[in-house]
Amino acid sequence: NPKLFIDLVPRTSWSHNLSQQLSKSDWNKIRKLVYENSNNVCEICGCVGTNGRIDAHERWHYDEASKIQTLVKISSLCPNCHMSSHMGFARVQKKEHIAMAHLAWINLWSEEECEQHSYHSFQTWAIRSQYAWKTDVSLLFEYGISLSPKSMEILIQENGKWFIDTNKIKMKKYN
């Protein structure tokens, strides 16, 4: 497994981003805990961005059979590792060449190995983007904070797990 990998969220789940769906206060509490747990550096390369910037990145597992995407981790990433993880966004921002170079550097990959990884990642993304995913965010409750009523409004509990209620999420337009 590569140390850094392209982690594309299906188009049908773009509006499920926790930084958009949780109250600003709750998201800030969670991301600050994530940063503290990583000693305020990137978990992949140990670096930070300009002015010490690091980002909170949601890692998901996709169960292809049940169409459930499960939050498995929130990682602390420097801007370069974060951009490489979101290669589709890097592409839209015309920074794909920078993101690919960083991916190669971190993984000690050739250009061909990066291109192959990117190709397979985008193929997987295209397939996953054909489906509506149910979003399991049960991991949020393992951070030891109480979510505000505002954040709880968008969640629904089923069979002991917590899911984003897609009927109540805030939608953001994407091109």
Side-chain angles (χ1 to χ4, degrees):
N1 285 345
K3 192 171 182 181
L4 177 61
F5 57 94
I6 298 172
D7 194 17
L8 303 172
V9 174
R11 178 181 285 274
T12 51
S13 295
W14 284 353
S15 60
H16 300 193
N17 182 301
L18 296 178
S19 67
Q20 295 170 18
Q21 297 305 324
L22 298 178
S23 73
K24 186 172 185 163
S25 170
D26 287 342
W27 178 244
N28 283 336
K29 286 180 206 171
I30 291 168
R31 68 184 184 83
K32 285 176 183 175
L33 282 171
V34 168
Y35 300 160
E36 285 174 23
N37 290 338
S38 71
N39 296 316
N40 293 300
V41 297
C42 179
E43 294 175 25
I44 294 177
C45 70
C47 295
V48 294
T50 306
N51 299 321
R53 179 180 150 202
I54 50 176
D55 300 325
H57 176 70
E58 301 158 26
R59 295 281 188 198
W60 301 93
H61 167 76
Y62 296 90
D63 183 319
E64 309 291 337
S66 67
K67 302 299 184 263
I68 294 176
Q69 74 179 68
T70 302
L71 181 65
V72 293
K73 185 175 184 179
I74 301 176
S75 297
S76 192
L77 300 181
C78 71
N80 285 333
C81 286
H82 200 197
M83 181 174 42
S84 295
S85 293
H86 289 293
M87 193 63 70
F89 187 68
R91 186 177 282 179
V92 169
Q93 296 292 313
K94 308 263 188 265
K95 295 181 180 178
E96 184 177 17
H97 63 288
I98 296 168
M100 289 291 275
H102 189 73
L103 184 69
W105 179 70
I106 292 293
N107 292 318
L108 304 174
W109 282 351
S110 66
E111 184 177 340
E112 183 181 328
E113 288 169 309
C114 282
E115 292 293 336
Q116 212 170 34
H117 177 70
S118 179
Y119 175 80
H120 290 296
S121 297
F122 277 95
Q123 290 295 108
T124 300
W125 173 81
I127 293 166
R128 288 179 178 160
S129 291
Q130 296 175 33
Y131 304 101
W133 292 85
K134 195 169 182 178
T135 308
D136 179 350
V137 295
S138 301
L139 180 78
L140 289 176
F141 295 94
E142 295 179 22
Y143 283 95
I145 65 164
S146 296
L147 294 178
S148 68
K150 182 178 178 184
S151 293
M152 291 302 292
E153 281 178 9
I154 60 133
L155 301 179
I156 188 168
Q157 191 172 26
E158 294 178 16
N159 302 320
K161 296 191 179 225
W162 288 93
F163 294 90
I164 291 179
D165 184 344
T166 55
N167 294 317
K168 296 181 181 175
I169 61 174
K170 298 173 262 182
M171 297 302 283
K172 182 175 179 182
K173 286 189 174 185
Y174 292 94
N175 293 331

